[in-house]
Amino acid sequence: MNLHTDVVETLEKWQPGTAGQEALRHAFLGFLAAREDACRRSCAAGHITASAVVLDASRSNVLLTLHPRVGRWLQLGGHCEDSDTSLAAAALREASEESGMSGLTISAEPVHLDVHPITCSLGVPTRHFDVRFVVVAPEGASPVRSEESDDLRWWPLTALPPGSEDLTELIAAACE
């Protein structure tokens, strides 16, 4: 199965908990139906990305990265690669690469969707159709900042950094 097919099947099976997320699910499926290249970053109209809400083993802290291009604290994640065979595998790969941690486990289905305008590696304005999964770190796991981050740290779920209010809905969905 190719990544495009996996993304379609993943989103067709997923039953979101809110009307807003259901509307986004349909929009994502429409975009995927219209664009066979929707999972490739070369798709200038926009492309599917895979994110991970990384929780510690106690599920009381979330790992956030201070994104160098965006300048804000965000969940881990990014572009799908040609080698990715599933959306969950892409999210897990991104979480492992960006956190420097091994032994991460990922939820079987997404918990949240988001679409946002961005100028990414293409150098032109585009959109990220971001599919977000919950990832749990093993007990005692310690993140190691990569070159893809200006900072990387655990934040208590009840005390997220200033400027991260837009993560509230995502974090709440991840904790349900």
Side-chain angles (χ1 to χ4, degrees), residues 83 85 101 127 132:
S83 59
T85 56
M101 297 186 298
R127 291 174 293 171
R132 297 152 167 197

Side-chain angles (χ1 to χ4, degrees), residues 51-131:
S51 285
V53 180
V54 180
L55 301 174
D56 67 355
S58 71
R59 295 181 179 250
S60 58
N61 297 289
V62 62
L63 186 64
L64 298 178
T65 181
L66 184 56
H67 195 282
R69 189 176 302 136
V70 181
R72 294 184 28 243
W73 290 98
L74 301 172
Q75 76 282 356
L76 307 185
H79 292 104
C80 298
E81 302 293 343
D82 290 340
S83 59
D84 293 323
T85 56
S86 75
L87 194 54
L92 186 59
R93 177 187 50 74
E94 285 287 336
S96 298
E97 288 174 2
E98 293 183 13
S99 72
M101 297 186 298
S102 59
L104 301 174
T105 58
I106 190 163
S107 59
E109 61 181 36
V111 294
H112 194 261
L113 302 176
D114 184 66
V115 62
H116 50 271
I118 192 165
T119 299
C120 63
S121 57
L122 296 173
V124 296
T126 186
R127 291 174 293 171
H128 279 176
F129 289 82
D130 199 28
V131 183

Side-chain angles (χ1 to χ4, degrees), residues 31-52:
F31 180 67
L32 286 155
R35 300 292 307 232
E36 189 59 40
D37 63 345
C39 298
R40 298 184 180 276
R41 80 172 77 191
S42 59
C43 181
H47 38 270
I48 300 292
T49 54
S51 285

